[in-house]
Amino acid sequence: MISDEELDAYRQSGEKIRVVRDALESNDVRGIVLAWDDTQVMIRRPNKRVVKLDRNYIYQPYAEPRQTPEQI
């Protein structure tokens, strides 16, 4: 699970992140961190829609190479 400190750093920097949900890259969510609580994170996607995602997914900077759940 991603820590509050990491989420706060992403939110303050406004850095675009990638949320890896499964092995398919087409299912990844890109966007910026808006807010979070104990179980969910709110991400604003490039099309301005806001989605709520589970904190147990893999959160990483979009500029870095994609990590799959098997690599971790």
Side-chain angles (χ1 to χ4, degrees):
M1 183 183 319
I2 189 166
S3 70
D4 288 344
E5 292 79 20
E6 290 176 289
L7 287 169
D8 194 43
Y10 286 139
R11 183 188 61 79
Q12 288 183 9
S13 70
E15 181 178 8
K16 186 184 281 190
I17 64 166
R18 174 195 318 265
V19 183
V20 179
R21 299 188 290 175
D22 57 25
L24 294 175
E25 189 170 351
S26 60
N27 290 338
D28 291 356
V29 176
R30 295 178 327 223
I32 59 172
V33 175
L34 294 180
W36 61 91
D37 62 17
D38 292 340
T39 59
Q40 295 180 323
V41 179
M42 290 178 63
I43 304 290
R44 177 177 288 139
R45 297 175 56 198
N47 65 1
K48 306 295 186 215
R49 291 184 186 235
V50 175
V51 293
K52 288 184 182 178
L53 300 170
D54 194 306
R55 280 184 72 163
N56 292 320
Y57 290 137
I58 300 168
Y59 292 80
Q60 66 182 84
Y62 187 71
E64 290 182 4
R66 182 181 190 270
Q67 295 179 356
T68 60
E70 295 83 33
Q71 291 174 333
I72 295 178

